[in-house]
Amino acid sequence: MKKYMLLALLCAGLSVQAQEGNQAPPKNWFNLDPVNDKVNGVSTEKAYKELLVGKQSKKVLVAVIDSGIDVLHEDLKDVVWVNTDEIPGNGIDDDNNGYIDDIHGWNFIGGKNGENVDKDTYEVTREYKRLRPKYEGKTADDFKRKERAEFEYWLEVKEAYEADANEAVGQSQLLRNIDMQLTRYKKLFEAYLFTDELTYEDVKSVSSTDQVILMGQNILTQLYMMTDTTIHLDTLSMYLQQDLEHYAAGADYSYNLDYNPREIVGDNPNQLDEKGYGNNDVIGKGTDNFHGTHVAGIIAAKRGNGLGIDGVANNVEIMAIRAVPDGDERDKDVANAIRYAVDNGAQVVNMSFGKAFSPNTEYVYEAIQYAHEKGVILVHAAGNSAADNDEVPNFPNDYFGRKGNWSHWIEVGASSWGGEGNYVGNFSNYGKDNVDVFAPGVAIYSLAPGNEYKDAQGTSMASPVTAGVAALLLSYYPDLNPEQVKDILIKSSRSLNNLEVSQPGTGEMVKFSDLSVSGGIVNAYEALKMAESMSLKGKK
């Protein structure tokens, strides 16, 4: 879910401009309380202070399927899962689970020689390449009725691929121009104001008659107003670089029909249930593992150690599963990653990724059903395209192609802290029927590789906040089943009392309650109170 971040902000910002005077929230705002701290956090700290003091908890294993995790990070290393049934480095599958030396988890996009996939194509590219030889230049009349469904699918793929590939070229040039201006004026204003943490307020407060300064002030102010006035310019620049790299890679990787990094893995792509391919490098040596590290930190950064941040859950372990490249994850890897997590004891699985096409959806659905049968909760990010998930598929999911939703699947949109009336991440997907709940996902401060800490935003951040609260519930109330956990999270969510908000993507004013099933924001304090009430009723 790390794609299109600045672009989503720019596009959405045209209709949802941040208001002047909007201040940045506290670094740990997602754990804070709406009443006590005046930000729309999930009341984690309040729960620990008022509800959990002296209560016993049970360790919960949370699997994070992502881009790789820095399991050596100072704020994470003490909570990383260790497979005690495996002897490190002996080259033997000691526990007979099909994976050799899987000490902290597994890397499904690595090779046996230790090399790892970093960038990959999009699924639409792979589907375009697969289908083009059969359907290019043909019409529906060229095929029998049974084949026409796939032909219609080909037309959908063709339209999407050609539109996206062309957009990548245009957006790359746009972002290069923005980057040129941002880099120039960022350096100028940092020198002018003697600061290396330039804010919107700094830029706005400059008074000068110098035409270059005034031009720079105008450009930076416009950029801020179209995106997010509460973040440092360094963070805005980081989002820009991510998007610039993303679009610049379009020709070389994302939409390149001849690019095939799967040769690194060396598996048989057609054997979906293949076991043991990949390697045990869950960090992902030589690749960008910021996303997975940041996500894991939100859930489980060691609480109370005086370092960095405190994660949501205080008694969890993180199982690291690498399956998400810089590009689209593959259905085979997603399904096998879910099965790996379930088979090795995970009780909650966080999945902060998604894509528009899924050619092997049924195989993924089988894995989701397997998790359901084993009582494992799956938490998934709704997506960052400011789209309605009731209308547009974001795979994997629990609704397209099925008659009903699974009781163990939780789909999460991104909320903001509420400063100056901003309650929804203006990039967030939503859905009255298919997004269950919202959670903090804007300006989230968490872990970065190499013992660092950075801001990031997206539904990718909202999902682990929710996964952390789910783990917290299971830790203190281990008898809860997945259906009960989901029900608690939805019913205990904090309602905004029919508050009208700007709908992401359209700017139309709608009730916040129309954007998800729950109509609310996850709240750990209320969820734990509800779980306690259920526990007491069960003892009577």
Side-chain angles (χ1 to χ4, degrees):
M1 290 292 169
K2 58 187 175 180
K3 300 171 217 163
Y4 310 119
M5 185 52 64
L6 181 73
L7 188 63
L9 284 170
L10 282 167
C11 293
L14 293 174
S15 57
V16 192
Q17 293 188 352
Q19 299 182 34
E20 292 189 11
N22 208 359
Q23 299 297 313
K27 289 292 188 185
N28 63 334
W29 79 266
F30 64 93
N31 278 326
L32 299 184
D33 181 69
V35 175
N36 296 343
D37 306 300
K38 305 298 186 290
V39 289
N40 280 321
V42 299
S43 306
T44 319
E45 303 306 331
K46 181 181 178 181
Y48 281 116
K49 291 175 183 176
E50 298 184 17
L51 301 178
L52 301 179
V53 175
K55 290 183 73 72
Q56 295 297 312
S57 64
K58 181 181 178 181
K59 194 175 290 295
V60 173
L61 182 55
V62 180
V64 174
I65 302 175
D66 217 292
S67 64
I69 298 173
D70 181 2
V71 294
L72 304 178
H73 194 287
E74 61 180 8
D75 212 1
L76 197 63
K77 62 183 180 181
D78 292 337
V79 297
V80 173
W81 174 65
V82 177
N83 183 359
T84 55
D85 293 329
E86 195 78 14
I87 299 172
N90 68 351
I92 299 173
D93 181 16
D94 300 290
D95 58 2
N96 295 310
N97 70 348
Y99 300 90
I100 296 173
D101 290 339
D102 55 325
I103 305 302
H104 300 302
W106 195 251
N107 174 13
F108 285 93
I109 50 175
K112 296 302 181 185
N113 63 354
E115 192 176 357
N116 294 310
V117 173
D118 181 20
K119 299 183 184 301
D120 203 342
T121 53
Y122 291 143
E123 195 68 73
V124 69
T125 305
R126 299 191 286 262
E127 285 295 87
Y128 183 86
K129 181 177 181 178
R130 179 177 72 86
L131 296 169
R132 185 173 63 169
K134 182 176 181 180
Y135 295 110
E136 183 68 275
K138 302 291 180 63
T139 68
D141 293 337
D142 294 322
F143 302 96
K144 296 179 181 178
R145 183 172 298 177
K146 291 182 179 179
E147 295 178 302
R148 288 182 184 176
E150 187 176 68
F151 177 75
E152 294 297 325
Y153 173 65
W154 150 252
L155 294 179
E156 181 184 353
V157 168
K158 175 181 170 65
E159 180 181 8
Y161 172 78
E162 292 176 352
D164 290 350
N166 289 332
E167 180 193 36
V169 175
Q171 296 300 343
S172 179
Q173 185 57 53
L174 170 65
L175 291 171
R176 282 194 179 93
N177 292 338
I178 294 173
D179 181 51
M180 189 187 316
Q181 300 282 8
L182 181 58
T183 301
R184 176 188 179 191
Y185 289 114
K186 177 175 175 289
K187 291 179 180 178
L188 178 63
F189 274 72
E190 284 175 346
Y192 187 79
L193 295 171
F194 301 102
T195 180
D196 58 358
E197 292 191 342
L198 200 62
T199 67
Y200 170 69
E201 293 299 325
D202 293 331
V203 174
K204 194 177 67 166
S205 66
V206 167
S207 177
S208 175
T209 58
D210 187 295
Q211 291 303 307
V212 175
I213 294 291
L214 291 174
M215 183 179 293
Q217 184 182 43
N218 182 51
I219 289 173
L220 292 181
T221 298
Q222 286 188 52
L223 185 58
Y224 256 125
M225 289 298 291
M226 286 192 297
T227 54
D228 190 337
T229 63
T230 66
I231 58 181
H232 287 130
L233 203 62
D234 277 342
T235 303
L236 197 59
S237 182
M238 180 186 73
Y239 292 150
L240 173 61
Q241 287 302 318
Q242 289 176 351
D243 278 7
L244 186 55
E245 290 173 8
H246 157 70
Y247 282 111
D252 294 332
Y253 308 106
S254 309
Y255 301 105
N256 185 346
L257 297 172
D258 297 320
Y259 182 63
N260 181 25
R262 199 64 184 189
E263 296 174 354
I264 291 173
V265 180
D267 65 324
N268 177 0
N270 298 318
Q271 185 184 341
L272 298 179
D273 63 351
E274 185 175 359
K275 214 169 189 182
Y277 68 93
N279 63 43
N280 69 343
D281 177 14
V282 296
I283 294 176
K285 180 180 64 178
T287 70
D288 181 4
N289 59 7
F290 167 77
H291 192 268
T293 303
H294 198 273
V295 165
I298 294 169
I299 298 169
K302 184 70 174 178
R303 294 185 62 84
N305 64 355
L307 297 172
I309 68 162
D310 287 342
V312 173
N314 66 340
N315 194 9
V316 297
E317 289 182 331
I318 293 294
M319 176 190 291
I321 305 179
R322 186 168 185 267
V324 184
D326 182 3
D328 276 344
E329 59 282 351
R330 297 177 184 238
D331 292 336
K332 173 180 179 177
D333 301 332
V334 170
N336 292 333
I338 292 171
R339 288 179 177 274
Y340 177 90
V342 172
D343 288 340
N344 289 280
Q347 294 160 269
V348 179
V349 180
N350 186 80
M351 300 186 293
S352 291
F353 52 82
K355 59 184 180 180
F357 292 90
S358 178
N360 294 297
T361 307
E362 287 305 318
Y363 186 62
V364 179
Y365 278 166
E366 288 171 10
I368 296 172
Q369 177 63 27
Y370 182 67
H372 176 65
E373 293 167 0
K374 298 295 183 179
V376 178
I377 297 168
L378 304 181
V379 186
H380 183 246
N384 300 328
S385 303
D388 185 349
N389 279 9
D390 293 348
E391 304 293 335
V392 181
N394 174 47
F395 295 104
N397 58 59
D398 70 333
Y399 46 92
F400 274 86
R402 299 189 70 251
K403 294 181 179 179
N405 294 356
W406 272 294
S407 58
H408 70 309
W409 181 282
I410 303 170
E411 192 84 3
V412 188
S415 58
S416 189
W417 63 90
E420 297 293 339
N422 294 322
Y423 293 96
V424 182
N426 54 18
F427 49 81
S428 180
N429 287 9
Y430 54 91
K432 178 63 176 175
D433 296 324
N434 293 311
V435 172
D436 295 300
V437 72
F438 275 67
V442 175
I444 304 298
Y445 188 68
S446 183
L447 281 54
N451 296 332
E452 294 187 4
Y453 303 84
K454 292 182 180 179
D455 283 337
Q457 56 191 28
T459 57
S460 283
M461 285 65 244
S463 182
V465 170
T466 306
V469 176
L472 196 59
L473 286 171
L474 289 176
S475 182
Y476 286 89
Y477 301 93
D479 292 333
L480 291 172
N481 62 44
E483 183 175 4
Q484 289 172 319
V485 170
K486 180 176 181 177
D487 192 52
I488 288 172
L489 290 174
I490 289 175
K491 290 181 177 177
S492 66
S493 64
R494 178 173 175 262
S495 169
L496 296 182
N497 298 319
N498 290 324
L499 178 75
E500 286 201 340
V501 298
S502 181
Q503 182 171 272
T506 69
E508 178 186 354
M509 297 306 293
V510 298
K511 290 181 179 180
F512 183 70
S513 57
D514 290 336
L515 300 182
S516 69
V517 174
S518 68
I521 298 170
V522 168
N523 190 278
Y525 183 85
E526 295 299 331
L528 287 162
K529 281 175 59 179
M530 187 173 289
E532 175 68 13
S533 176
M534 290 173 59
S535 176
L536 291 174
K537 287 180 181 178
K539 292 178 181 178
K540 290 181 180 180

